[in-house]
Amino acid sequence: VSEWENHFDLLTPKVKTRYLPPADLHDIPPIMAMPPFLHQVMYNIRRNFLVMWRNQKTKVLDFFVVVAAVAFVTLLDGTTKYAITEEGEKTLTVPLSVITDNVDDLPLAQMFAPFQAA
């Protein structure tokens, strides 16, 4: 008799169960038939409507918070002045290659003047 067998005999029944061989093999469970696709779609649609119904108060509150925030930001700044050229200013409508061949000679201050309203 080996030392392991002597040690195993001295163990309590609860501890012995950890070292016993596995139980008898069982058959693989039968494959469950998948529900049809449209049933799954309808189930998920119903579930999403339930979630929407539960969250309706929160969504309405969120909507009013966003509307109030947009109105507040709009009132803070006033009207917006777009960077549009005045009638007296001339805009650059000619390709750069027609103006000059050397890039260092470009009149940058005049080119970007229509866009610098600030």
Side-chain angles (χ1 to χ4, degrees):
V1 177
S2 69
E3 287 184 39
W4 169 250
E5 291 172 343
N6 290 336
H7 174 71
F8 188 76
D9 290 337
L10 296 175
L11 293 176
T12 62
K14 184 176 181 181
V15 177
K16 282 184 182 180
T17 57
R18 287 192 300 185
Y19 300 107
L20 292 176
D24 296 335
L25 297 177
H26 299 286
D27 291 336
I28 296 176
I31 296 174
M32 301 293 288
M34 292 287 293
F37 176 75
L38 290 178
H39 287 208
Q40 292 182 13
V41 168
M42 290 307 297
Y43 174 78
N44 282 312
I45 288 173
R46 281 191 219 109
R47 190 182 64 158
N48 286 329
F49 274 120
L50 179 63
V51 170
M52 287 182 346
W53 180 258
R54 290 179 181 167
N55 292 338
Q56 68 181 350
K57 291 179 185 174
T58 306
K59 295 296 180 185
V60 168
L61 179 65
D62 290 347
F63 169 76
F64 284 116
V65 167
V66 168
V67 168
V70 168
F72 180 71
V73 169
T74 304
L75 291 175
L76 279 180
D77 194 28
T79 59
T80 303
K81 182 179 179 187
Y82 295 104
I84 298 177
T85 59
E86 301 295 330
E87 292 181 20
E89 296 179 16
K90 293 184 178 181
T91 59
L92 181 64
T93 58
V94 182
L96 296 178
S97 61
V98 174
I99 295 174
T100 181
D101 292 331
N102 188 0
V103 179
D104 295 330
D105 294 338
L106 288 176
L108 293 177
Q110 294 172 359
M111 288 170 48
F112 292 104
F115 306 107
Q116 297 174 347

